Structure formats: C-alpha cells, structure tokens
Amino acid sequence: MDKYVINGGNKLYGNVKIQTAKNSVLPILAATVLTDSSVKILDIPQISDVKNMVRILSRLGCKTQYCDSHLIVDASNSNNYEIPSELAHELRSSVFLLGSVISRFHKAKIAYPGGCDIGLRPVDLHLSGLKRLGVTVTEENGYILCSCEKLTGNEIMLDCPSVGATENIMLAAVKAEGTTVIKNAAREPEIEDLQKFLNYIGAKVKGAGSGTIIVEGVKKLHGGEYLPITDRIEAGTFLIAAAMCGGEICAEGALAENISSLIHKLRENGCKIHIKNDKIILRRERRLTAVKSFETQPYPGFPTDLQAQMTALCCICQGQSIVTENLFETRYKYVPQLRKMGADITVIDRNAFVRGVEKFNGATVVAQDLRGGAALVLAALAAQGKSEVLDISHVDRGYGDFEYKLRNLGGDVIRKTV
Ligand code: EPZ
C-alpha cells in the first residue's frame, strides 16, 4: 500500500499536460470488443482503472499490446463471455462490457461491478435498457446472466440520465437489427467521444450530447487508431489545486467548454482565469472568497467528480458555503479526513455546510475513494506543515503520474511504499 508524504505551503507554477479522459477511454475499450479489426487507442492514460480494464479484455480473449504510450486491442479471437468477480469488482466500467459482450456472443456473465464506494450504484437502468433490445436477464449468486437470440433496436427512456447505462445501451445497439432511440440519455462529453469513436469504426450513431441518441444498427465494424478527448476532471483537479495553493498554472490540452460550470465557480471565488484554445491559465493571488453554494448535477451541471475537490477549496475560503451532492448517496467520505486537517464542515444528508478557516494543518489522512483521495492530496499541498495521505491506490485509479505532475508544478510530494 503506497502513501504520499507532502510538505504543504508551496505555491504552484508552470504547465501541466492533461491526460486522455479515463471516463472516455474505459467505454471505448469496452467498444473494441464489437469489432474484429484491431484498434489503436493513442495516449492511453497510465492509470490502474485502464490496466484493470485491459486485464478484463485479455480474459475475454482479446489480444492487447502496449506500444509506447498507445494501446492496441484486437478482439477478433475473443472467445469468452464471462467476467469473474475478482476482475469485475475492481472497477465500475466492467459493467459497460455487458453491451459489447452480448453484441458479440449473444450471451454474457458478469459479476456485479465494483468501483468507488460512493453510493448504491445500481445497474437497473443498464439491465432494463438491454431487456428492451431483446436480452433476457437473470441475476444469481452475484452474477448478471444475459442471453438473446438476437438484438433488436427499440426505443428506451432512461429514468435518469445515467452515463453508464447510456453507454452500455449504445454499445449493445450498434450492431442490433434496426434503430434504437435512447431518450433522457446522459449528455457528458465522454458520451460524445464514444459516439465519435463508434462512428469512426463504422457505426451509425447520432445525437450524443443532446439528450436523445439514435443508433442505426450496422452489420460490421472496422478498426483504426483514435485519440480520446482529454480528462476534464483531471484538468479541474489541477485548477482547484492552484486555486488552493496560490500561484499560476496552465492546464494544457484542457477543453474549457467541458468544465464551464467549474470555471464559473472559480471566477466567483476570485481566481483569474484566461482561456486560450486548449489552454486554461489560472492565477490566484489573494485569499479566495467562498462561493455561497454549489450543487452537483448531470452534465452540463457541476460535475459530481469535482465535488470533493471543490469542497476542499471551500474549506479555506473567506466565508461559508453550502454543498449539495445530488448524484451519489455517500460521496462525503473524505469529510472526516478533512476535519483532521482543521476543516469546519457539517454533513446533513446530501448537504455539506462549510465554514472557511485560514489554513489546513498537516495531518495523516486516509483516502477512501478516487476523487475524495484527490481532494485530500490538494488539502495537504495547501496545508501548513507535513501530511501523509495513505492508501493512494484509490488515487492511482484515475490520475496518471500524479506526484510527478504535482512536483513539476512545485508541490513537495513524495510517494512511499508502506
Ligand atoms: C460514471 O459513473 C462515471 N464513471 C463516474 O465517475 C461519474 O461520477 C458518474 O458517471 C456521473 O457522472 C465512469 O464513467 C467509469 P451514473 P456511472 O450511472 O455510470 C444512478 C469517477 O470518479 N443509477 O451516471 O456509474 C446512480 O445511482 C467516477 O471518475 C441508477 O439509479 O454513473 C447515480 O445516482 C465515479 N441506476 C446516478 O444514476 C443505474 O442503472 C448517476 O450514475 C445506473 C445509475
């Protein structure tokens, strides 16, 4: 188990190159199972969720090969439709494979997915969507069993704009007979990127980003090479880090339109933000003023994946803030850890009531999940004195070369193996 040892108080200066998006690469990896041609995904992020997804693809019989910073996947000889619990429990996006494995084998057996412990995270919308396409679903001993004679296009109305359910249904529909219409679909940029990738390999998908996605079934797909979009959550995490520590950083490759809700809030805090093509420059000189409130919403609302990081920023602003987490039931597990560093936060149901304090004090804290762990790292960088952030395997799931990037910006952070 690794930890970060951090001496806080340094301002951050310089450029940071944003990685390709974890939540775009993962469904794209699932989509490679749909084609018999090899696909090369460029600039694959060096994060454990991707490594675990590649292990699952190998278990399905796909040939996977890293070359430099790229990954080649060839599913032509894949011969297994089962994902065992020890692999599925590693990450939520194992469930995305349901759609593509059913499309290829007309059956699938996948253990209930794992991932961050941030709430119940049911898959009912995934399963009801697949049933609408003609899939028979049973659940036994912690496994989801699916089978179908064939996949037939249909109209599907999602009860809530679930990112994963939208992506799973898209994948199952790509080679179904006829047309599928997904209504109340999620609008995240990663879904538009999945649509772009699918069309690039020969699918016929349109409407991603609009809330209604139309998939016209095709018989065959081909291969090629593809560069996914950059990671808006990583970009937002670094911008918040600079807002908390002070200084001036440039997030390179960051698409401002994909985190406009965050940029709006950081400007409200008093950060100076300049946008130039795919560069976002943030400067913070004086102590920030608290935002009155912010609440997480499906895209284009404030992203739940930046809630913990933004709440950590609120803790050291002048004034009080109210945070509302609307998407996940238990996404405040980092709060007791921030309290150890001197934060004044009270959580009641989905709301966190924050009173700004002058500074965090260094402390030993434990990461509980990916984004909460990132928030603890940011708090330690901004704190007075030394901190240790334990169990950073959670952070490794979504941030590649995190300590190197932070050190290059002036952060005093070292990884140690416990
Ligand atoms: C995706 O998770 C992301 N993960 C999450 O990022 C992100 O927080 C989330 O979307 C919301 O943006 C990946 O893309 C790999 P949802 P997902 O289905 O698909 C409810 C990170 O930190 N729901 O949009 O699991 C669910 O309980 C991770 O990078 C159902 O009720 O999220 C939640 O309240 C964490 N039934 C809401 O929808 C279902 O069948 C949103 O979940 C599915 C979801």
Side-chain angles (χ1 to χ4, degrees):
M1 188 166 79
D2 285 4
K3 66 181 179 182
Y4 281 151
V5 177
I6 297 173
N7 288 306
N10 295 358
K11 291 189 175 181
L12 303 181
Y13 292 95
N15 298 342
V16 56
K17 186 174 180 304
I18 301 304
Q19 68 187 23
T20 47
K22 165 178 91 77
N23 292 346
S24 187
V25 166
L26 291 171
I28 287 174
L29 284 171
T32 61
V33 174
L34 294 169
T35 177
D36 284 333
S37 306
S38 86
V39 173
K40 186 175 191 180
I41 300 166
L42 304 176
D43 284 355
I44 200 106
Q46 304 304 316
I47 55 178
S48 56
D49 267 11
V50 166
K51 293 188 178 83
N52 283 321
M53 192 65 160
V54 170
R55 282 170 60 210
I56 293 175
L57 292 176
S58 306
R59 177 66 75 95
L60 295 176
C62 300
K63 224 172 85 202
T64 61
Q65 186 195 352
Y66 284 97
C67 68
D68 302 328
S69 60
H70 315 309
L71 175 73
I72 298 169
V73 181
D74 180 340
S76 55
N77 294 320
S78 64
N79 52 8
N80 176 18
Y81 57 84
E82 286 195 31
I83 301 178
S85 52
E86 69 269 17
L87 287 178
H89 286 167
E90 287 297 319
L91 72 162
R92 172 76 179 173
S93 39
S94 55
V95 74
F96 300 158
L97 279 157
L98 266 180
S100 34
V101 169
I102 291 169
S103 177
R104 172 176 278 276
F105 297 109
H106 287 179
K107 48 188 167 185
K109 181 180 176 187
I110 295 188
Y112 263 93
C116 281
D117 180 10
I118 51 178
L120 294 170
R121 307 195 80 179
V123 292
D124 56 313
L125 299 179
H126 297 243
L127 302 183
S128 53
L130 294 174
K131 286 176 189 166
R132 292 281 294 163
L133 301 181
V135 177
T136 305
V137 179
T138 52
E139 299 168 62
E140 60 185 54
N141 310 325
Y143 276 82
I144 303 166
L145 311 169
C146 296
S147 63
C148 65
E149 284 304 307
K150 62 175 179 171
L151 288 163
T152 311
N154 206 340
E155 182 171 298
I156 293 158
M157 165 63 88
L158 290 175
D159 292 345
C160 77
S162 154
V163 170
T166 299
E167 293 167 339
N168 226 341
I169 297 162
M170 283 167 77
L171 295 174
V174 160
K175 290 166 76 177
E177 259 179 41
T179 301
T180 296
V181 179
I182 309 169
K183 292 189 167 177
N184 194 26
R187 301 161 182 251
E188 274 70 2
E190 293 77 24
I191 289 175
E192 288 187 70
D193 204 33
L194 177 61
Q195 170 178 285
K196 197 167 154 223
F197 170 74
L198 290 170
N199 290 338
Y200 174 70
I201 61 170
K204 287 185 179 161
V205 188
K206 61 186 181 186
S210 75
T212 299
I213 296 175
I214 300 170
V215 184
E216 198 184 319
V218 295
K219 288 248 178 299
K220 202 166 165 41
L221 299 169
H222 51 75
E225 56 183 57
Y226 188 77
L227 177 65
I229 55 168
T230 51
D231 196 316
R232 61 194 171 100
I233 304 303
E234 189 201 29
T237 303
F238 278 104
L239 292 176
I240 295 171
M244 291 174 71
C245 297
E248 177 171 332
I249 72 158
C250 172
E252 291 181 344
L255 302 174
E257 68 269 20
N258 289 347
I259 43 171
S260 51
S261 54
L262 171 70
I263 289 170
H264 171 71
K265 286 294 172 187
L266 290 174
R267 282 176 167 153
E268 200 182 319
N269 280 130
C271 294
K272 298 286 178 249
I273 296 177
H274 178 59
I275 295 159
K276 203 166 141 216
N277 304 325
D278 67 345
K279 288 183 173 59
I280 305 174
I281 297 146
L282 180 142
R283 191 174 69 250
R284 190 217 98 181
E285 288 145 349
R286 57 169 180 76
R287 187 179 179 204
L288 298 178
T289 312
V291 293
K292 199 159 142 302
S293 66
F294 76 93
E295 59 176 286
T296 64
Q297 293 291 352
Y299 191 86
F302 192 93
T304 176
D305 294 348
L306 286 172
Q307 177 261 100
Q309 302 91 312
M310 189 68 192
T311 305
L313 168 59
C314 292
C315 289
I316 51 173
C317 286
Q318 185 107 32
Q320 302 178 19
S321 303
I322 301 176
V323 181
T324 306
E325 169 55 61
N326 288 310
L327 276 80
F328 292 107
E329 302 85 350
T330 50
R331 206 163 197 178
Y332 288 121
K333 290 184 145 177
Y334 62 92
V335 167
Q337 306 297 320
L338 280 185
R339 280 208 204 96
K340 287 184 198 170
M341 302 177 80
D344 180 347
I345 314 184
T346 308
V347 172
I348 302 171
D349 298 334
R350 287 184 177 256
N351 293 312
F353 300 90
V354 183
R355 280 192 180 76
V357 294
E358 191 71 30
K359 270 196 172 304
F360 285 117
N361 307 308
T364 297
V365 291
V366 187
Q368 310 288 316
D369 55 61
L370 166 57
R371 306 301 179 183
L376 297 178
V377 173
L378 269 49
L381 286 165
Q384 188 163 358
K386 180 181 164 191
S387 298
E388 293 198 349
V389 182
L390 309 183
D391 203 358
I392 53 164
S393 60
H394 290 286
V395 179
D396 293 338
R397 296 187 41 213
Y399 294 92
D401 301 328
F402 200 30
E403 64 267 25
Y404 302 112
K405 290 185 173 183
L406 288 169
R407 267 211 299 277
N408 285 342
L409 293 172
D412 182 346
V413 47
I414 297 171
R415 175 188 287 259
K416 287 206 172 158
T417 301
V418 186

